[in-house]
């Protein structure tokens, strides 16, 4: 599975959009991009995933560049409850068929009033 | 639905003691897995299972055993606890083993301290 690179920390003002970047320059054609987050002392929570098209759900939007070497997770109106560590993960859809996600260090997002 | 339930929430062991961390899910998920998380590090995969009776090793399996006798339960056993196993342990499950659109659902963790 491809390796990802994320900034260790970011800040965002409450009510503003939080844009979290992820670099996955070695991603291959059948690898998906997943985002999870982990709020303090809780288990990780699935946010969104995509292959090449931009995706949106009730939590966030995922923008994947045309060459698929990077992506951005967008939280359109960040709240204090969005303060968490955000993990960007890429996974091969054919990696033995096993849901074996490899988590990196992630980005610690701090949303402040 | 309760989702993924882990017990206990906290545990303190002495070196050499054994214990079992429990994990149960009520979503009829095929796939279950165990991760550990240490301060300043991401989650590391210990063991996983793609269905009842089938288990396999992850990145850091040494010192841990697992079994999967039912779809619902996936216990993690520490046979002889060591201080290096002090960590937060997360259990996770997903609907299908090969389904790319099947996100992992995590429990809220067991915080284990080995003295």
């Amino acid at each position: 599975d491809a390796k990802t690179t994320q900034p260790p920390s970011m800040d965002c003002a409450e009510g503003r959009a939080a844009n979290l970047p992820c670099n996955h320059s070695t991603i291959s054609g059948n690898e998906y991009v997943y985002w999870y987050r982990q709020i303090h002392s809780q288990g990780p929570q699935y946010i969104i995933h995509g292959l090449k098209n931009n995706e949106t759900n009730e939590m966030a939007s995922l923008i994947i560049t045309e060459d698929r070497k990077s992506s951005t997770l967008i939280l359109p109106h960040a709240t204090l409850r969005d303060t968490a560590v955000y993990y960007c993960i890429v996974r091969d859809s054919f990696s033995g068929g096993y849901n074996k996600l490899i988590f990196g260090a992630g980005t610690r997002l701090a949303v402040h009033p | 639905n309760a989702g993924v339930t882990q017990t206990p929430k906290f545990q303190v062991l002495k070196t050499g003691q054994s214990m079992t961390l429990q994990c149960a899910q009520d979503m009829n998920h095929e796939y279950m897995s165990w991760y550990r998380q240490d301060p300043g590090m991401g989650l590391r995969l210990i063991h996983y299972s793609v269905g009842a009776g089938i288990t396999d090793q992850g990145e850091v399996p040494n010192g841990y055993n697992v079994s999967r006798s039912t779809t619902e339960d996936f216990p993690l056993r520490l046979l002889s606890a060591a201080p290096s196993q002090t960590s937060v342990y997360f259990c996770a499950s997903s609907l299908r083993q090969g389904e790319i659109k099947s996100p992992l659902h995590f429990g809220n963790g067991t915080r284990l301290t080995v003295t």
Side-chain angles (χ1 to χ4, degrees):
Chain A
D1 292 338
K3 183 177 177 181
T4 62
T5 303
Q6 298 177 253
S9 63
M10 294 183 65
D11 288 318
C12 179
E14 189 176 19
R16 304 296 293 269
N19 298 293
L20 291 89
C22 180
N23 184 289
H24 32 79
S25 58
T26 60
I27 194 170
S28 61
N30 57 356
E31 286 183 314
Y32 282 71
V33 180
Y34 278 82
W35 283 85
Y36 282 76
R37 74 180 182 183
Q38 187 174 21
I39 297 170
H40 182 62
S41 299
Q42 297 182 18
Q45 176 190 26
Y46 166 78
I47 302 173
I48 199 167
H49 75 278
L51 181 62
K52 54 184 178 181
N53 296 323
N54 298 338
E55 301 286 346
T56 295
N57 62 20
E58 64 279 4
M59 289 183 69
S61 294
L62 174 61
I63 308 298
I64 303 174
T65 57
E66 191 169 343
D67 63 8
R68 303 205 329 117
K69 292 181 187 277
S70 65
S71 61
T72 301
L73 178 75
I74 301 172
L75 308 178
H77 305 286
T79 70
L80 298 178
R81 287 175 292 181
D82 292 322
T83 292
V85 177
Y86 287 77
Y87 297 99
C88 169
I89 304 160
V90 294
R91 185 173 83 86
D92 187 344
S93 62
F94 302 107
S95 57
Y98 304 145
N99 211 344
K100 198 167 62 176
L101 292 178
I102 307 297
F103 287 76
T107 295
R108 185 172 299 276
L109 175 68
V111 181
H112 51 85
Chain B
N1 285 347
V4 179
T5 302
Q6 291 185 238
T7 55
K9 287 185 168 55
F10 301 93
Q11 183 70 51
V12 178
L13 290 179
K14 295 187 188 304
T15 298
Q17 286 185 318
S18 64
M19 80 158 295
T20 299
L21 281 63
Q22 302 291 345
C23 175
Q25 51 88 11
D26 60 359
M27 298 172 283
N28 201 29
H29 283 176
E30 284 185 0
Y31 179 89
M32 296 186 75
S33 55
W34 278 100
Y35 288 83
R36 62 176 288 173
Q37 185 172 37
D38 301 300
M41 300 182 69
L43 288 88
R44 292 183 291 170
L45 181 65
I46 305 172
H47 285 286
Y48 62 95
S49 168
V50 300
I54 305 170
T55 64
D56 206 345
Q57 297 181 348
E59 302 172 78
V60 289
N62 293 340
Y64 308 95
N65 284 346
V66 292
S67 60
R68 184 98 180 268
S69 57
T70 66
T71 299
E72 294 78 20
D73 300 297
F74 190 45
L76 179 72
R77 297 185 188 86
L78 285 70
L79 296 180
S80 180
S84 61
Q85 293 179 306
T86 293
S87 189
V88 181
Y89 292 85
F90 289 100
C91 179
S93 70
S94 67
L95 187 57
R96 300 181 189 90
Q97 62 172 5
E99 175 57 66
I100 194 70
K101 298 178 183 178
S102 181
L104 281 172
H105 296 257
F106 284 82
N108 278 327
T110 293
R111 284 147 186 82
L112 175 68
T113 301
V114 183
T115 61

